[in-house]
Amino acid sequence: MSDNDTLTLRRPDDWHVHLRDGDMLRAVLPYTARQFARAIVMPNLASPVTTASEAGEYRRRILDALPDDELCRGFLPLMTCYLTDNTDADELERGFVDGVFTAAKLYPANATTNSAAGVTDIANLDAALERMAGIGMPLLMHGEVTDPSVDVFDRETQFIKLVLDPMLGRFPGLKAVLEHITTMQAVSYVRSKQGALGATITAHHLMINRNALFEGGLRPHNYCLPIAKRESHRLALREAATSGEPWFFLGTDSAPHEIAAKEADCGCAGIFTAPAALELYAQVFDEEGAMDKLESFASVNGPTFYGLEVNEATVTLVRDAWDGPVESVGVKCFAPSGGLDWRIK
Ligand code: NCD
Ligand code: ZN
């Protein structure tokens, strides 16, 4: 159902989220679970999730932390394996076949938060990638090179050129997702693959450009990785997300850090969007005159790419101006300065 002031769509899924662990997990999980039916859960805990048994235990902790209410009860966490230089292809396959792992995640070593145990050279993944291509297990990528001599704003485009393109050439059957894309080059590269490569797009990269990092002073809460790029890139992302093309889908990359860890001499990367995630996307789609494309981006393209069923339950958004969330559970929430126009009913 849809008119100018309400929109009912299939319940969405979040194809990239950081739920953390312990107290933080209990604090942030309800925000994701009340909006999304499923979520791809990132494995970059302080001690990374590298085996099927660790992923199974982490999944159990997530399910145990779910609030016992009607909206949250059915939430399904989809687990990922953190790839390292030593990932064993048999372990990956076992976890995937047993239904513990939905996908595996490539963090180039030291690219972002808790990635020190990541992959130092993509060649170390040859056996794992060959197996994944063979069994249809998706590879999710933090797509940035880590060479400190490469400008921080160029790290995604360099990754596409130096790592991703050669890798897809060597493993043409591999199902891969370039996560949280931030550049027009990523948009055109994903398009050029016509389905072999998917991409998630965050709400914050649709809303801010790199000026937001320096608005009147240093703004640590707008700092995330990959870092926001210039305006022309943001516009390309908005066009891609609202295009309805099946390879672009929702992934919030909601990444909570305590305020003290963000407002520090060396502040953490990560933007916390979970409290109003779907409302943030609705704002963008409405501004682009593309509310009719929100359902494909949020609720259809992701499951189709992963080969999963779409959700039968629905969620309704209503036009209702509010300020947006400010701070919750000791974490600053992302919200546009002009507030939000949509709310989940
Ligand atoms: C993420 C985090 O805090 O775990 N941070 C971020 O800026 N996006 C890690 C990541 O996805 O890069
Ligand atoms: Zn992330």
Side-chain angles (χ1 to χ4, degrees):
M1 188 195 71
S2 156
D3 58 45
N4 268 345
D5 297 320
T6 62
L7 178 70
T8 296
L9 62 155
R10 284 181 190 277
R11 209 163 149 78
D13 304 300
D14 185 349
W15 299 98
H16 178 138
V17 70
H18 299 270
L19 295 178
R20 312 301 193 205
D21 213 346
D23 289 346
M24 187 65 99
L25 166 64
R26 277 185 291 280
V28 302
L29 175 64
Y31 292 116
T32 295
R34 85 182 167 85
Q35 294 173 68
F36 296 104
R38 296 167 287 197
I40 286 275
V41 180
M42 287 298 124
N44 65 330
L45 301 182
S47 172
V49 178
T50 56
T51 63
S53 79
E54 284 163 359
E57 285 160 23
Y58 183 30
R59 179 166 66 184
R60 174 48 42 210
R61 295 198 294 281
I62 296 169
L63 293 173
D64 286 346
L66 273 178
D68 189 20
D69 63 47
E70 206 186 318
L71 271 179
C72 297
R73 209 174 290 137
F75 175 73
L76 190 64
L78 304 174
M79 309 311 291
T80 55
C81 178
Y82 183 117
L83 296 169
T84 71
D85 285 341
N86 304 312
T87 297
D88 174 29
D90 292 334
E91 172 76 12
L92 272 181
E93 178 166 0
R94 229 179 353 255
F96 184 64
V97 170
D98 290 348
V100 181
F101 291 140
T102 298
K105 172 74 190 242
L106 163 64
Y107 289 103
N110 302 314
T112 187
T113 308
N114 294 339
S115 63
V119 175
T120 58
D121 181 344
I122 191 84
N124 295 332
L125 287 183
D126 273 2
L129 295 179
E130 194 176 331
R131 186 73 63 88
M132 289 168 65
I135 61 178
M137 182 177 189
L139 172 72
L140 315 182
M141 292 166 286
H142 184 106
E144 291 193 286
V145 295
T146 55
D147 177 349
S149 71
V150 175
D151 190 285
V152 66
F153 295 98
D154 295 335
R155 289 183 187 175
E156 182 175 282
T157 50
Q158 288 298 301
F159 179 87
I160 294 170
K161 194 169 132 196
L162 300 177
V163 182
L164 178 55
D165 192 52
M167 183 189 78
L168 292 181
R170 282 186 296 130
F171 302 98
L174 188 66
K175 201 165 163 176
V177 183
L178 186 54
E179 301 202 283
H180 39 52
I181 59 170
T182 60
T183 57
M184 59 177 76
Q185 288 87 350
V187 168
S188 19
Y189 187 73
V190 170
R191 275 196 174 123
S192 75
K193 292 289 156 189
Q194 290 288 301
L197 179 65
T200 55
I201 306 181
T202 75
H204 47 279
H205 287 114
L206 294 169
M207 289 189 145
I208 60 169
N209 63 32
R210 63 193 195 178
N211 286 350
L213 283 149
F214 310 108
E215 225 165 58
L218 198 55
R219 299 288 184 173
H221 295 285
N222 288 335
Y223 173 56
C224 67
L225 288 170
I227 199 159
K229 309 298 191 295
R230 61 170 68 239
E231 178 65 359
S232 49
H233 295 287
R234 184 183 77 101
L235 296 178
L237 296 173
R238 285 169 79 100
E239 190 275 324
T242 57
S243 67
E245 289 165 47
W247 27 85
F248 299 117
F249 41 90
L250 185 158
T252 61
D253 193 18
S254 178
H257 292 278
E258 278 168 13
I259 289 177
K262 295 281 296 171
E263 299 175 6
D265 182 41
C266 185
C268 294
I271 295 183
F272 182 48
T273 48
L278 188 60
E279 286 107 331
L280 291 167
Y281 284 105
Q283 180 88 15
V284 170
F285 278 66
D286 191 20
E287 286 164 2
E288 294 293 321
M291 285 301 268
D292 60 325
K293 298 291 196 324
L294 183 60
E295 185 176 49
S296 26
F297 178 76
S299 320
V300 177
N301 297 350
T304 305
F305 184 88
Y306 277 85
L308 299 170
E309 298 291 316
V310 293
N311 300 308
E312 288 307 327
T314 59
V315 58
T316 297
L317 287 157
V318 292
R319 193 184 292 280
D320 177 15
W322 62 302
D323 289 342
V326 182
E327 183 188 323
S328 183
V329 301
V331 182
K332 184 136 182 225
C333 309
F334 179 83
S337 50
L340 286 166
D341 295 336
W342 291 86
R343 245 188 211 278
I344 294 180
K345 198 167 151 184

